[in-house]
Amino acid sequence: MKRWFPLALMVLLLLPAFAAAQGLPTITLGVQESTEPGQVSTTLQVIVLLTVLSMAPAILLMTTGFTRIVIVLSFVRQAMGTQQAPSNQIVVGLAMFLTFFVMAPVFNQINDNALQPYLAKKINQEQALKKALEPVREFMFAQVGEKDLQLLVDISHAKQPETKKDLSLLTLIPAFMLSEIKRAFEMGFLIFVPFLVIDMVVASILMAMGMMMLPPIIISLPFKILLFILVDGWSLVIGSLVQSFG
């Protein structure tokens, strides 16, 4: 499993660049009688690889900035109290394209250092895998917190790594995700504060007027939307999100 996980990760990360460079590939499936033991072994390897690739969406989410982006955008919608505006499809779609925008330098490095040399037969599969994982690991190391890394190392009871190369992907990825979730919640708290103030002010005014039966959210919602428009909220949120990966 440890061998196939990095390979599946590399294949997933190389798919956009490969599709752009070579066009969409065609896949032909067939069942034939095996005549050598090596064919059976190859078949089992393909089955294992396809099984790991079934987790491709999860791998894409775990190793990129998608987690932080989609959580922050969800917090924005909840803070304004607009229910399903924007809808889940729009939030996820925006988060996905912002992820591609943020990860573009990493994907370009993978394409230049791993995919193109491999397609040109200048390096073998093992070398391509190693070169493809290097920018991904560097991106995760740049975003992960030291406390989160140490927590996962302690939980795994593994030997204390001396360098970045000594740290396994199976330890780095959950530590990276934990850091992304924590950072997203910190940003979400800052987003909630001004909207919470508006809710408290509106609720206090309604109580002073004796209109306790009127839900404050009905009155505060237009003011929160107006505030968000006046400060150009979407540009501030998106700008802060993208810059937080710098």
Side-chain angles (χ1 to χ4, degrees):
M1 183 67 178
K2 292 182 179 180
R3 176 187 175 188
W4 290 107
F5 181 81
L7 180 59
L9 176 60
M10 185 198 73
V11 173
L12 174 63
L13 294 174
L14 293 182
L15 281 179
F18 181 81
Q22 302 294 328
L24 295 177
T26 58
I27 300 177
T28 303
L29 299 178
V31 179
Q32 298 179 355
E33 182 179 357
S34 61
T35 58
E36 298 178 1
Q39 295 179 351
V40 178
S41 176
T42 302
T43 303
L44 293 177
Q45 292 178 9
V46 171
I47 293 175
V48 173
L49 180 60
L50 291 177
T51 302
V52 176
L53 285 177
S54 65
M55 300 186 299
I59 295 175
L60 179 63
L61 304 185
M62 290 187 296
T63 57
T64 64
F66 180 83
T67 302
R68 184 193 309 183
I69 295 173
V70 74
I71 291 177
V72 171
L73 293 180
S74 299
F75 271 127
V76 172
R77 184 176 62 182
Q78 288 184 331
M80 287 193 297
T82 53
Q83 302 300 326
Q84 294 298 321
S87 64
N88 292 330
Q89 292 85 349
I90 296 177
V91 171
V92 174
L94 179 59
M96 184 64 69
F97 281 101
L98 285 176
T99 302
F100 288 143
F101 178 79
V102 171
M103 298 297 296
V106 177
F107 291 150
N108 290 335
Q109 291 183 39
I110 295 175
N111 180 61
D112 297 337
N113 300 332
L115 177 60
Q116 295 304 327
Y118 177 71
L119 294 178
K121 298 183 180 180
K122 296 180 179 179
I123 58 176
N124 56 32
Q125 183 181 20
E126 183 178 355
Q127 293 173 329
L129 173 61
K130 183 178 180 180
K131 290 181 178 293
L133 290 179
E134 287 178 357
V136 179
R137 289 175 62 93
E138 288 298 325
F139 172 79
M140 289 191 287
F141 272 118
Q143 304 300 325
V144 71
E146 294 183 5
K147 292 183 179 179
D148 301 320
L149 270 178
Q150 188 60 51
L151 174 63
L152 268 297
V153 171
D154 295 339
I155 293 176
S156 64
H157 300 289
K159 182 180 178 181
Q160 189 71 22
E162 298 180 359
T163 63
K164 293 180 179 180
K165 295 182 179 180
D166 297 333
L167 192 65
S168 170
L169 274 176
L170 297 180
T171 302
L172 176 59
I173 291 178
F176 168 75
M177 291 192 66
L178 180 59
S179 296
E180 290 294 284
I181 294 174
K182 290 171 60 176
R183 194 163 298 157
F185 272 70
E186 292 172 358
M187 297 179 70
F189 169 77
L190 297 177
I191 292 173
F192 256 96
V193 171
F195 296 109
L196 180 61
V197 172
I198 294 178
D199 287 333
M200 294 176 63
V201 171
V202 171
S204 299
I205 294 176
L206 291 178
M207 290 184 64
M209 297 175 62
M211 305 174 63
M212 294 179 292
M213 299 301 295
L214 181 64
I217 187 63
I218 297 179
I219 306 300
S220 63
L221 179 59
F223 290 99
K224 289 192 289 187
I225 295 177
L226 179 62
L227 172 66
F228 200 67
I229 294 174
L230 291 178
V231 300
D232 198 9
W234 285 115
S235 297
L236 290 176
V237 172
I238 300 303
S240 300
L241 270 173
V242 174
Q243 293 175 5
S244 67
F245 289 97

